[in-house]
Amino acid sequence: MARPTVISPGLRRSLLGITALVLVFVYVPLTLVVVNSFNIDNTFGFPPPGYTLHWWQLAWESQGARSALWTSVKVACAATAVALMLGTLAAMALRRTRFFGRNVVSLLIILPIALPGVVTGLAFQNGFRTILGIQLSLWTVIIAHATFCIVTIFNNVQARFQRLGGNFEQASMDLGAGRWTTFRLVTFPMLRSALLAGALLSFGLSFDEIVVTTFTASSHDQTLPLWIFQNLFRPNQAPIVNVVAAVLVIVSAVPIYLAQKLSGSQAEGLTASP
C-alpha cells in the first residue's frame, strides 16, 4: 500500500493562501454582478446607496431577455442531445476496436474544446456559408455547439469504461445475451450517471457560450449571452443586464454542481463495490 504524502505546515499554509487568492479573484467580480442587480443606482456606484427589486421586475418583463433565454435553452438542449448520441457512440467504438490511428481519432474528437472559440467559430462560418452554401440559422449554432459538447460526453463515457472494465458485459454475453440485450441491461445502466453528468456539463457549456455563437448565428437568432453583450453598454439596459447576468451565473452553476455530485457519488459507489 502506498504511503500517504505528508505536506509540511508551511507548504499547507502557502497552498491555502494561493487557493484563497484565486477564489477571491474569481468570485468577487461575480458577487459584484449579483449585488449590482439590486443596486438602486443605475450607474452601479459602490457601495450601493440602496437596494431595489425594480431591475428584476423590468428584466422579468423584458421580451427580448425572455426570448433570448428561450433560444439559449433550445440550443443547449438540442446540442446536448446530439452530443449524447455521437459522443457515446464514438467512445464505444474506440473502446471496442483497435486500429492504426486510433489515438489520432481520439485526439481529433477532443480537439474542438481546446481550440480558441474564435478559430472554431470562423471555421464553421466559412464551412457553412462558403463551402456548403448554407445560411446561418439556429441549426448552425446547434451543430457548432455540439462539436465541443461531444467532448464532455466522450470523456465521461471513456472514463467510466476504463473504471469498470468489461467483465460484466462479458459475463452477460457468456450467459447467452446478445449485444443489444447486454447494452440495454448491463452497459447502459453502468453508463447512466456518467451520461447524465456529461449532459449537464454540455448544457452548461452550450448555454453560456458566446464566441462560437457570434460567428454561427444569424441576425435573427439571439441567445442570452449575445443579448447580454449587445445590451451591456446601453444606459437604459445596463441594470437589466446585471439581473440577467446574475441569473445566468446561477443557471450555469446548477448543472455543473449536479454533474460534480453525480460523478462523485458514482465514484464512491464504484470504489465501495467489491
Side-chain angles (χ1 to χ4, degrees):
M1 181 180 296
R3 296 178 61 184
T5 303
V6 179
I7 301 177
S8 65
L11 179 58
R12 184 182 296 109
R13 286 193 294 269
S14 299
L15 292 175
L16 289 175
I18 293 172
T19 302
L21 287 176
V22 171
L23 292 176
V24 168
F25 182 78
V26 172
Y27 286 101
V28 165
L30 294 178
T31 304
L32 287 177
V33 170
V34 177
V35 170
N36 280 331
S37 69
F38 298 98
N39 195 339
I40 198 171
D41 183 5
N42 60 3
T43 62
F44 310 134
F46 195 86
Y51 298 93
T52 178
L53 291 174
H54 178 63
W55 310 126
W56 285 78
Q57 181 181 354
L58 292 181
W60 177 257
E61 295 172 353
S62 173
Q63 183 61 37
R66 286 191 293 180
S67 176
L69 173 62
W70 176 234
T71 300
S72 287
V73 171
K74 288 191 295 184
V75 169
C77 287
T80 300
V82 174
L84 276 171
M85 180 177 63
L86 297 182
T88 303
L89 291 176
M92 293 182 66
L94 292 181
R95 178 206 183 200
R96 295 180 180 277
T97 57
R98 296 291 185 272
F99 56 90
F100 178 76
R102 178 175 177 270
N103 292 334
V104 175
V105 174
S106 179
L107 175 63
L108 291 175
I109 294 174
I110 298 173
L111 188 60
I113 204 169
L115 290 175
V118 174
V119 174
T120 303
L122 185 60
F124 270 109
Q125 187 184 72
N126 290 334
F128 288 135
R129 301 185 67 175
T130 306
I131 299 176
L132 299 177
I134 298 175
Q135 294 299 318
L136 299 181
S137 65
L138 212 59
W139 286 108
T140 58
V141 179
I142 291 170
I143 293 170
H145 283 203
T147 57
F148 55 80
C149 289
I150 286 174
V151 180
T152 61
I153 306 297
F154 178 78
N155 285 341
N156 272 25
V157 173
Q158 273 208 327
R160 182 57 49 83
F161 278 143
Q162 291 174 2
R163 192 178 299 163
L164 291 173
N167 294 336
F168 293 106
E169 295 167 304
Q170 291 174 4
S172 172
M173 288 186 284
D174 287 343
L175 292 173
R179 289 187 178 274
W180 169 245
T181 302
T182 298
F183 174 80
R184 182 169 57 89
L185 299 179
V186 179
T187 307
F188 179 72
M190 291 191 302
L191 294 178
R192 192 158 43 202
S193 62
L195 291 174
L196 182 55
L200 290 169
L201 287 173
S202 297
F203 183 90
L205 284 173
S206 175
F207 188 83
D208 59 10
E209 210 290 321
I210 185 171
V211 179
V212 175
T213 309
T214 303
F215 284 91
T216 55
S218 70
S219 58
H220 306 292
D221 300 312
Q222 192 177 54
T223 61
L224 194 59
L226 285 180
W227 184 89
I228 291 175
F229 182 75
Q230 293 173 4
N231 288 274
L232 182 60
F233 302 106
R234 296 180 181 178
N236 296 331
Q237 292 290 330
I240 301 176
V241 168
N242 269 277
V243 175
V244 176
V247 173
L248 189 60
V249 169
I250 297 171
V251 170
S252 300
V254 169
I256 295 175
Y257 171 76
L258 293 176
Q260 184 184 36
K261 293 292 288 184
L262 282 171
S263 300
S265 299
Q266 186 66 21
E268 290 176 3
L270 292 173
T271 304
S273 61

